[in-house]
Amino acid sequence: MGMSSLKLLKYVLFFFNLLFWLCGCCILGFGIYFLVHNDFGVLFHKLPFLTLGNILVIVGSIIMVVAFLGCMGSIKENKCLLMSFFVLLLIILLAEVTLAILLFVHEQKLNSYVAEGLTESIHRYYLDNSTKAAWDSIQSFGCYMKTQEWFHSNFLYIGIIIICICMIQVLGMSFALTLNCQIDKTSQAIGL
């Protein structure tokens, strides 16, 4: 691999990570908006931290940190940042695969747990304003059964999107490793 292909790889990795960093900023912004306005309250009272705002803040923050490591590692040609980017992507990929397997294996338990949690939550409709607001906003989009039907009818498309996300992660990991190896070769060639 020549110097021109190294620069190309470096800038491709930088711009893709910059794009993901901006997406992470948007997701984090939506999460903060939902936390501040509290339009979506707690639906599962056994898991009070499981709100839309909290989930979006966590996901957005993770995307921003990982993408930042990829951006800075590629543009600065920093091996430590590139390997940190690789390791974090690998951990996220393994967590996604593990979660997918667990959801597939325990689908019936999950369905009954969600139905039980939502039934318990609906009984608090008149007792808690945040629960009332959450249910009102959910009912404006459709009930649990409609959501479940939509999920099952679009299962193929959801699977394709998830596979594409995993492929992008694997591509990012391979770019990071390739760039890391090329940094070694380039530094050896110029005598550093």
Side-chain angles (χ1 to χ4, degrees), residues 15-16 28-29 35 43-44 49 51 53 89 132 139 142 153 157 167 171 183:
F15 284 114
F16 271 115
L28 179 65
L35 284 177
L43 287 178
F44 298 98
F49 59 89
T51 63
L89 271 182
K132 184 179 185 321
Q139 291 301 327
S153 65
Y157 301 117
M167 288 175 62
L171 193 62
I183 291 169

Side-chain angles (χ1 to χ4, degrees), residues 7-47:
K7 285 190 182 282
L8 177 68
L9 182 63
K10 174 172 122 172
Y11 289 116
V12 166
L13 190 60
F14 173 77
F15 284 114
F16 271 115
N17 280 301
L18 182 62
L19 179 68
F20 287 123
W21 185 81
L22 291 172
C23 290
C25 288
C26 291
I27 293 170
L28 179 65
F30 282 121
I32 292 171
Y33 173 81
F34 286 130
L35 284 177
V36 169
H37 291 290
N38 201 16
D39 292 336
F40 295 95
V42 177
L43 287 178
F44 298 98
H45 289 279
K46 291 181 183 176
L47 302 169

Side-chain angles (χ1 to χ4, degrees), residues 50-74:
L50 189 63
T51 63
L52 183 62
N54 286 344
I55 291 171
L56 291 178
V57 165
I58 291 169
V59 169
S61 299
I62 290 171
I63 291 173
M64 285 178 63
V65 167
V66 172
F68 178 78
L69 289 174
C71 277
M72 295 308 291
S74 62

Side-chain angles (χ1 to χ4, degrees), residues 23-150:
C23 290
C25 288
C26 291
I27 293 170
L28 179 65
F30 282 121
I32 292 171
Y33 173 81
F34 286 130
L35 284 177
V36 169
H37 291 290
N38 201 16
D39 292 336
F40 295 95
V42 177
L43 287 178
F44 298 98
H45 289 279
K46 291 181 183 176
L47 302 169
F49 59 89
L50 189 63
T51 63
L52 183 62
N54 286 344
I55 291 171
L56 291 178
V57 165
I58 291 169
V59 169
S61 299
I62 290 171
I63 291 173
M64 285 178 63
V65 167
V66 172
F68 178 78
L69 289 174
C71 277
M72 295 308 291
S74 62
I75 204 70
K76 297 281 188 185
E77 296 183 15
N78 186 312
K79 292 178 57 169
C80 181
L81 291 177
L82 283 172
M83 288 311 294
S84 299
F85 172 71
F86 173 81
V87 168
L88 285 176
L89 271 182
L90 180 63
I91 290 170
I92 291 169
L93 184 64
L94 292 174
E96 290 169 349
V97 169
T98 303
L99 182 64
I101 291 170
L102 288 174
L103 289 175
F104 183 73
V105 169
H106 299 290
E107 181 182 5
Q108 294 302 321
K109 281 185 183 177
L110 182 66
N111 282 339
S112 65
Y113 182 77
V114 169
E116 177 185 312
L118 291 176
T119 303
E120 180 183 324
S121 176
I122 198 72
H123 292 304
R124 295 174 176 255
Y125 183 81
Y126 292 108
L127 303 174
D128 184 14
N129 286 338
S130 65
T131 303
K132 184 179 185 321
W135 274 106
D136 288 345
S137 60
I138 284 176
Q139 291 301 327
S140 68
F141 298 117
C143 62
Y144 173 71
M145 296 303 287
K146 290 280 187 189
T147 304
Q148 193 174 26
E149 285 175 23
W150 178 88

Side-chain angles (χ1 to χ4, degrees), residues 151-168:
F151 182 77
H152 285 294
S153 65
N154 293 305
F155 189 72
L156 177 65
Y157 301 117
I158 293 169
I160 290 171
I161 291 170
I162 290 171
I163 289 171
C164 288
I165 290 171
C166 290
M167 288 175 62
I168 290 170

